Amino acid sequence: MTTSASPTTTTPTTATPTPTELHPTSTSGPVVRHTRVLVVTCGALATVISAMSSLNVALPSIAADTHASQTRLSWIIDAYSLVFAALLLPAGAVGDRFGRRRALLTGLLIFGAGSAAAPFTSSATTLIGLRCVLGVGAALVMPATLSTITGTFPRERRAAAVGVWAAVAGASAVVGLLASGLLLQAWSWRSVFLLGVVLAALAAVGTWLFVPDSAAPDGPPLDIVGAVISIAGLGALVYSIIEAPEHGWLGRTTLLGLGTGIVLLAGFVAWELHTRTPLLDPRLFTRPAFAAGTLSILLQFFGFFGLIFITMQYLQLVRGDSALVAAVSVLPMAAGMMPAARLAPRVVAAVGARACCVAGLLLITAGMVVLSRLDQGSSYWLLLAGLFPLGVGMGLAMTPATTAVTDSLPPALQGVGSAVNDLSRELGGALGIAVLGSLLGSTYRHHLAQHGALPPALAEKARSSLGVAAHLGEPVLGHARTAFVDGMQVAFLGGAVATGAAALAVALLLRAGRPK
């Protein structure tokens, strides 16, 4: 990731690294072992991406241990994603300026330290704070992985490497769920953080041994004002969405927060258009392929991470599955995603990026619609019928969308492309958890409040979260499960509307005759 000037400027900000940039002490340039670089960078990527989803499996036990409400559970998951997304642009710029290898090592150290501290807390508030620390580390790691690949691999091998990167980015979330499910069979939710420590340590050793360094030390200064405005705007927006079930969607606090976030983000756009060294030049989005790829990635991960957040609770608290069974139950999503991501370049060659990306988004939409039909008595086959096409759709849509973002920019702006690609994923995930989780929470609380058969004291406790209601027994638990399923159906339909709108927008942006 890098800072950039307007796309019309002639001053490069991040050039493709030369051999001496990759290893300043070498006189003839190092022999870059591309396979090892790809394995290590994808390992680092998997470490930080899996942390977005792995804790979802442990939500029921976290709720029982910390007495966290549904809103607090959303924060425990989304604090990581929000900080991750908000710091991606400035953290990527720091990596470009001082060295991407250094950024990888520093980010992995911060991530590992935060993960090592988390098992020693039983406070939901402290856990949220430590998830923020992990987000800081992840923000340093992720942009350095893709920019290292695009800067290290020759052009003829770059598309295939980006395809592997995209597949790992998507599938690591599901693999993280499975690993957490296995750990929870024998240990508590704290073991999930210990897994993060091990993964971060392995990635750090691999980075130290095999990843060459590259940097753009003469690039423009960091846009600190733009970074502060963007962080404040995203923070206000996501905070208001997550807290909406507590204050009401039309409550004064919610509306004020949403308005503040929108005004700040509009101010960020105005500032970026004004400053000579923008963090992210809004004029880049006038490129149809760049805008289409960014929007596609944003809403793919909006649906994906929102889905994971809700589905893990449904499987364990409504269906009564164990953590491991719940994690295994979503593996068909990865079974569809990985092969589809590898086949996507061939599909693009045969039918074009537009058709491939739109088809993928429509499959995601269809999967979300099917999943919105789930209830307490649904068979696993209905879950499978929604998860597999959703995974295939993400595999088909991810690679052409990522390639559209990077290939629509000249070499001097490849760092910007990497950063925006990463930002779209993490911001989409943060918004998906916030919005879909908030739709779930609002509907859940409303339906329980309308149920007059429950004693007011028990109803108030159950409204906190389904995890809390699970300890209250019948008839409270039965009513809470019904309310949760109602909220889940509303949330999944909301996700389907978002991805369906993305399919339409991408089709229009990449319509025949438009530059790609």
Side-chain angles (χ1 to χ4, degrees):
M1 205 292 293
T2 185
T3 55
S4 94
S6 165
T8 58
T9 189
T10 58
T11 303
T13 57
T14 301
T16 300
T18 63
T20 54
E21 283 180 299
L22 292 173
H23 198 309
T25 61
S26 171
T27 58
S28 58
V31 177
V32 178
R33 296 176 174 85
H34 294 104
T35 300
R36 294 183 181 181
V37 171
L38 183 61
V39 169
V40 171
T41 53
C42 285
L45 174 69
T47 299
V48 299
I49 292 294
S50 63
M52 292 186 69
S53 62
S54 58
L55 209 59
N56 282 280
V57 186
L59 285 176
S61 56
I62 290 175
D65 197 12
T66 65
H67 305 288
S69 66
Q70 190 67 42
T71 299
R72 286 277 176 160
L73 292 177
S74 295
W75 273 118
I76 288 171
I77 300 299
D78 219 18
Y80 176 79
S81 303
L82 175 59
V83 173
F84 195 166
L87 294 181
L88 265 173
L89 291 176
V94 168
D96 284 346
R97 193 171 185 84
F98 298 104
R100 299 176 184 107
R101 181 169 177 264
R102 292 180 182 177
L104 270 172
L105 289 170
T106 303
L108 289 167
L109 178 62
I110 294 172
F111 184 95
S115 297
F120 298 99
T121 181
S122 294
S123 163
T125 301
T126 304
L127 197 55
I128 291 168
L130 288 172
R131 290 279 286 176
C132 290
V133 172
L134 266 66
V136 174
L140 286 165
V141 169
M142 189 174 183
T145 60
L146 185 56
S147 57
T148 294
I149 289 171
T150 57
T152 302
F153 278 69
R155 188 169 186 85
E156 63 273 13
R157 296 184 59 184
R158 193 179 303 158
V162 169
V164 173
W165 185 95
V168 170
S172 344
V174 178
V175 174
L177 291 174
L178 180 60
S180 298
L182 287 168
L183 289 172
L184 290 168
Q185 289 296 105
W187 297 289
S188 74
W189 57 266
R190 293 173 172 81
S191 61
V192 176
F193 287 100
L194 296 179
L195 175 63
V197 175
V198 173
L199 292 176
L202 291 174
V205 171
T207 299
W208 180 267
L209 294 176
F210 302 120
V211 175
D213 202 6
S214 60
D218 298 326
L222 175 64
D223 177 19
I224 297 176
V225 173
V228 171
I229 296 174
S230 66
I231 291 169
L234 289 174
L237 194 65
V238 173
Y239 175 85
S240 302
I241 293 171
I242 291 179
E243 294 290 331
E246 299 284 344
H247 303 291
W249 281 96
L250 298 179
R252 180 179 179 182
T253 301
T254 302
L255 294 177
L256 180 61
L258 291 174
T260 301
I262 292 171
V263 169
L264 285 171
L265 292 177
F268 170 73
V269 172
W271 172 262
E272 296 302 283
L273 290 170
H274 167 77
T275 185
R276 297 186 62 182
T277 57
L279 192 65
L280 174 62
D281 193 332
R283 285 174 285 252
L284 292 173
F285 292 94
T286 62
R287 302 169 183 249
F290 185 87
T294 301
L295 181 64
S296 175
I297 293 167
L298 178 79
L299 290 179
Q300 286 173 51
F301 282 85
F302 175 96
F304 178 73
F305 280 106
L307 170 78
I308 292 296
F309 174 70
I310 295 170
T311 302
M312 285 298 103
Q313 296 179 74
Y314 165 75
L315 290 171
Q316 294 179 76
L317 296 174
V318 176
R319 288 177 57 93
D321 294 339
S322 69
L324 179 58
V325 170
V328 171
S329 295
V330 298
L331 284 182
M333 192 158 44
M337 187 186 304
M338 293 291 284
R342 296 299 302 271
L343 288 173
R346 298 181 187 178
V347 177
V348 169
V351 302
R354 177 175 181 258
C356 184
C357 200
V358 170
L361 288 166
L362 290 176
L363 281 171
I364 296 171
T365 303
M368 296 288 283
V369 171
V370 171
L371 293 172
S372 74
R373 308 304 301 166
L374 290 168
D375 58 30
Q376 294 184 63
S378 297
S379 73
Y380 178 72
W381 295 108
L382 182 60
L383 184 69
L384 178 63
L387 291 177
F388 186 75
L390 191 148
V392 173
M394 287 201 68
L396 288 176
M398 270 193 297
T399 301
T402 300
T403 303
V405 171
T406 56
D407 284 0
S408 63
L409 300 176
L413 296 177
Q414 280 302 303
V416 174
S418 300
V420 172
N421 180 78
D422 298 342
L423 176 61
S424 300
R425 292 171 186 271
E426 306 321 312
L427 181 58
L431 290 175
I433 294 167
V435 174
L436 300 191
S438 194
L439 288 174
L440 165 66
S442 297
T443 307
Y444 174 79
R445 292 170 66 89
H446 176 73
H447 283 207
L448 275 184
Q450 297 299 311
H451 207 292
L454 294 178
L458 288 179
E460 185 60 32
K461 289 181 180 179
R463 288 178 68 204
S464 176
S465 72
L466 182 56
V468 173
H471 294 276
L472 298 177
E474 297 294 350
V476 177
L477 179 56
H479 295 311
R481 282 173 171 165
T482 300
F484 184 92
V485 167
D486 292 341
M488 180 181 70
Q489 292 173 348
V490 170
F492 286 165
L493 285 176
V497 169
T499 54
L504 177 61
V506 169
L508 292 174
L509 286 168
L510 298 182
R511 65 184 180 271
R514 295 294 296 264
K516 295 183 179 181

